[in-house]
Amino acid sequence: MKHHLISAADLTRDDAVMVLDTAQELARLADRPIKKLPTLRGRTVVNLFFEDSTRTRISFEAAAKRLSADVINFSAKGSSVSKGESLKDTALTLEAMGADAVVIRHHDSGAPHRLATSGWIGGSVVNAGDGTHEHPTQALLDAFTLRHRLAGSGDGVGRDLTGRHITIVGDILHSRVARSNVLLLTTLGAEVTVVAPPTLIPIGAEGWPCTVSYDLDAVLPKTDAVMMLRVQRERMTAAYFPTEREYARRYGLNGDRMATMPEHAVVLHPGPMNRGMEITAEVADSPRCTAVEQVTNGVSVRMAVLYLLLGGAPAGPAPTPASGTATTAAAAGTATTATTAPGAAGEAEENQ
Amino acid sequence: MDATPPPPRSVLEAPDIARVLTRIAHEIVERAKGADDVVLLGIPTRGVHLAHRLAAKLHDITGGPVPVGSLDITMYRDDLRLRPARALARTEIPAEGVDDRLVVLVDDVLFSGRTIRAALDALGDLGRPRAVQLAVLVDRGHRRLPIRADYVGKNLPTSLREAVRVQLAEEDGRDGVLLGRREPAAEG
């Protein structure tokens, strides 16, 4: 595994299976009297959250604490960031405090990439969601949930998702979860279809390793799992569909639609859910919906990621060009957090 | 397969291993005055197979069921930072638990004692056994910690330049213990 986890594309198939297998073993910790391992004792994990998030931050915090790491929570609100501090200066502060890993959530696509590749900090950077770019640990926990649920007998250890059909439905345009999932699930051998109204499919989606469809009903009968995404009203600056009612009727998952799926198929939702919009209460409360399970699995998967990044020997010179960009970094150091950082890996989004 | 110049020398063959395990099983029963509260925990990978074999032999002797499980020590190792992060093996604690039981840790080779130190820490997080004992197939010496085995299959005086390799049918297709030249990167 690389020194950082910025994009789901950073993971090879073997890396991803290793994360899932490690998570599978760590999940068993929940049944023990002492739900803690001494592995990361004395290491410091900083949760650097520029955007509100409860479940992801709590999940990372629980994961780090279960591995005995010290956790520092840093949220932009009420911190020096609200006084105008740049990402660079925040990073240098964290470096000075000796952060071994920085878990970053940022409203701008590419901020974690900037943090990891500018040579500001020596620790590992874990992307906990950046703008409309990526959210790799969410994709990992979705893959973990899928593998576990679809494995039948046994828990799927050592296996990937070869041959599985997975459908991602909803606001693909604004969804970092969708991007990471398309990349990761494809790496794991699954065939992915994204379904949304044409207005919510990003430009360039035809270059993604997945199929694009506008018709949910046509896809459901041959899907092993459907992932319902929330319509991200807070990121919407234009009218992407006429009415919410129309969206719900064409792209929402209700009991009748769920009945057209194969018997074994499951429904995933990364949360938070908008009941009545993309998913009805009937589906959300059915045993086929894995939303709550996904939260539990999130802790195990994030433990696995932190262990694999921090538990072993320091990776030495990181594969990313950390040095040499120091001068450009200094030049760009004036970039405040309000400025959009350069998009990672040509995935710059039109995040209006 | 191991070192090319001198081929590894066989120290124990399949029948020897079977006899040794039978003797250890009898010793466990003798020391514990029966095996009523014995729980066998193997240390992955080969310790787990040895634990299952011992459990079968204990069952033959006492007639009662002997709980057997595995205890992965990866997260408790003291050398984690020296190598890239490694994959975890399975920890499987029998339904009976370990509280107030006589836990016998089972491993293939006892060398520095660091593995057993880690296993004792791991065990402490899982419960409070009445007592903990250690059974190993081979004790090759060179202890770095004040740890000793209660049941030893074979005491094998070795030099630090040698490597002990235990092969078990479940893992390697054949039973045997080989003593060869140590590869530069390998560690016992």
Side-chain angles (χ1 to χ4, degrees):
Chain A
M1 216 160 127
K2 290 186 182 177
H3 185 50
H4 307 290
L5 181 60
I6 307 298
S7 160
D10 292 343
L11 299 168
T12 63
R13 185 234 170 233
D14 290 346
D15 286 340
V17 171
M18 170 98 150
V19 173
L20 301 188
D21 288 351
T22 306
Q24 185 78 51
E25 195 50 45
L26 291 171
R28 302 154 67 88
L29 202 64
D31 306 329
R32 301 200 194 147
I34 297 176
K35 298 175 189 29
K36 209 168 169 81
L37 293 166
T39 316
L40 297 185
R41 209 154 52 94
R43 326 284 317 261
T44 303
V45 175
V46 176
N47 285 327
L48 182 58
F49 277 62
F50 291 92
E51 194 181 74
D52 289 336
S53 155
T54 337
R55 75 183 69 210
T56 306
R57 187 181 60 71
I58 290 177
S59 184
F60 267 108
E61 185 170 350
K65 284 182 170 170
R66 285 192 181 179
L67 291 171
S68 303
D70 295 317
V71 181
I72 299 173
N73 287 314
F74 186 107
S75 79
K77 266 188 203 134
S79 73
S80 45
V81 171
S82 60
K83 296 172 191 162
E85 190 177 60
S86 70
L87 180 61
K88 180 183 180 183
D89 290 322
T90 307
L92 293 177
T93 308
L94 298 179
E95 176 68 3
M97 286 195 292
D100 295 293
V102 176
V103 176
I104 176 172
R105 151 127 349 161
H106 203 286
H107 39 74
D108 290 329
S109 304
H113 177 79
R114 187 95 178 95
L115 194 61
T117 53
S118 297
W120 298 332
I121 56 170
S124 295
V125 175
V126 181
N127 183 358
D130 59 332
T132 58
H133 176 222
E134 285 223 40
H135 193 354
T137 57
Q138 176 72 41
L140 282 165
L141 77 89
D142 290 338
F144 181 87
T145 309
L146 282 169
R147 188 178 81 162
H148 189 73
R149 275 292 193 113
L150 299 176
S153 61
D155 39 24
V157 166
R159 294 215 293 270
D160 57 16
L161 294 167
T162 301
R164 296 298 187 176
H165 292 266
I166 292 149
T167 307
I168 306 176
V169 187
D171 187 356
I172 310 295
L173 178 62
H174 299 103
S175 178
R176 49 198 178 209
V177 176
R179 276 172 186 74
S180 288
N181 261 307
V182 167
L183 293 170
L184 182 74
L185 297 177
T186 314
T187 302
L188 286 169
E191 287 173 38
V192 182
T193 308
V194 297
V195 180
T199 48
L200 288 176
I201 299 277
I203 294 166
E206 58 280 355
W208 292 6
C210 66
T211 321
V212 178
S213 167
Y214 307 133
D215 185 358
L216 181 57
D217 289 315
V219 177
L220 283 181
K222 45 184 190 296
T223 193
D224 294 301
V226 60
M227 190 177 295
M228 304 307 298
L229 300 176
R230 185 174 64 91
V231 175
Q232 302 192 33
R233 285 202 203 84
E234 74 276 16
R235 291 189 206 277
M236 289 193 177
T237 49
Y240 289 95
F241 42 82
T243 64
E244 294 190 353
R245 188 149 166 266
E246 182 180 325
Y247 178 88
R249 286 186 64 160
R250 292 201 58 187
Y251 295 100
L253 191 65
N254 56 28
D256 292 342
R257 280 214 169 97
M258 188 167 71
T260 68
M261 290 163 53
E263 196 94 337
H264 65 272
V266 290
V267 179
L268 281 81
H269 196 300
M273 286 197 266
N274 280 338
R275 286 175 184 237
M277 183 72 176
E278 73 274 3
I279 191 166
T280 63
E282 183 190 357
V283 176
D285 296 330
S286 88
R288 295 171 84 170
C289 179
T290 61
V292 178
E293 215 173 301
Q294 284 168 268
V295 176
T296 312
N297 293 342
V299 178
S300 308
V301 161
R302 288 173 178 125
M303 283 175 78
V305 167
L306 289 175
Y307 164 65
L308 293 171
L309 287 178
L310 296 181
T320 43
S323 59
T325 56
T327 45
T328 47
T334 49
T336 65
T337 52
T339 328
T340 305
E347 278 257 31
E349 307 308 331
E350 54 275 49
N351 184 16
Q352 299 135 340
Chain B
M1 278 173 280
D2 243 59
T4 14
R9 178 164 60 89
S10 172
V11 193
L12 289 179
E13 287 296 329
D16 304 321
I17 292 178
R19 273 193 294 273
V20 151
L21 289 177
T22 308
R23 171 172 57 77
I24 291 178
H26 280 284
E27 284 178 6
I28 291 173
V29 176
E30 186 186 355
R31 286 266 295 265
K33 299 186 170 60
D36 301 336
D37 64 349
V38 167
V39 174
L40 295 172
L41 288 183
I43 296 171
T45 324
R46 289 177 183 75
V48 180
H49 301 308
L50 289 172
H52 278 98
R53 291 192 192 184
L54 268 179
K57 292 196 185 286
L58 282 173
H59 176 73
D60 290 346
I61 299 166
T62 63
V66 180
V68 55
S70 61
L71 182 65
D72 178 45
I73 55 127
T74 309
M75 301 299 258
Y76 294 84
R77 296 186 76 104
D78 59 4
D79 60 352
L80 272 176
R81 302 287 300 279
L82 302 180
R83 286 194 236 169
R86 42 193 116 190
L88 304 186
R90 168 135 299 196
T91 294
E92 194 89 62
I93 301 304
E96 293 85 349
V98 296
D99 287 332
D100 292 320
R101 294 259 177 171
L102 171 61
V103 172
V104 180
L105 297 172
V106 184
D107 203 0
D108 51 357
V109 180
L110 179 58
F111 184 18
S112 65
R114 291 181 194 273
T115 302
I116 305 305
R117 197 276 314 160
L120 290 171
D121 284 356
L123 195 53
D125 283 355
L126 289 167
R128 186 176 181 278
R130 174 173 70 80
V132 183
Q133 295 179 345
L134 173 62
V136 295
L137 185 61
V138 174
D139 180 351
R140 65 165 294 186
H142 303 289
R143 212 75 74 244
R144 311 278 183 179
L145 295 171
I147 280 170
R148 66 167 179 79
D150 300 85
Y151 313 102
V152 179
K154 184 174 177 62
N155 280 301
L156 192 60
T158 58
S159 114
L160 280 172
R161 277 195 298 276
E162 288 171 313
V164 177
R165 211 161 105 209
V166 173
Q167 297 178 319
L168 295 175
E170 297 91 330
E171 198 71 27
D172 315 282
R174 68 177 291 270
D175 276 6
V177 176
L178 302 176
L179 183 63
R181 184 69 67 83
R182 181 177 187 167
E183 287 168 52
E187 198 193 316

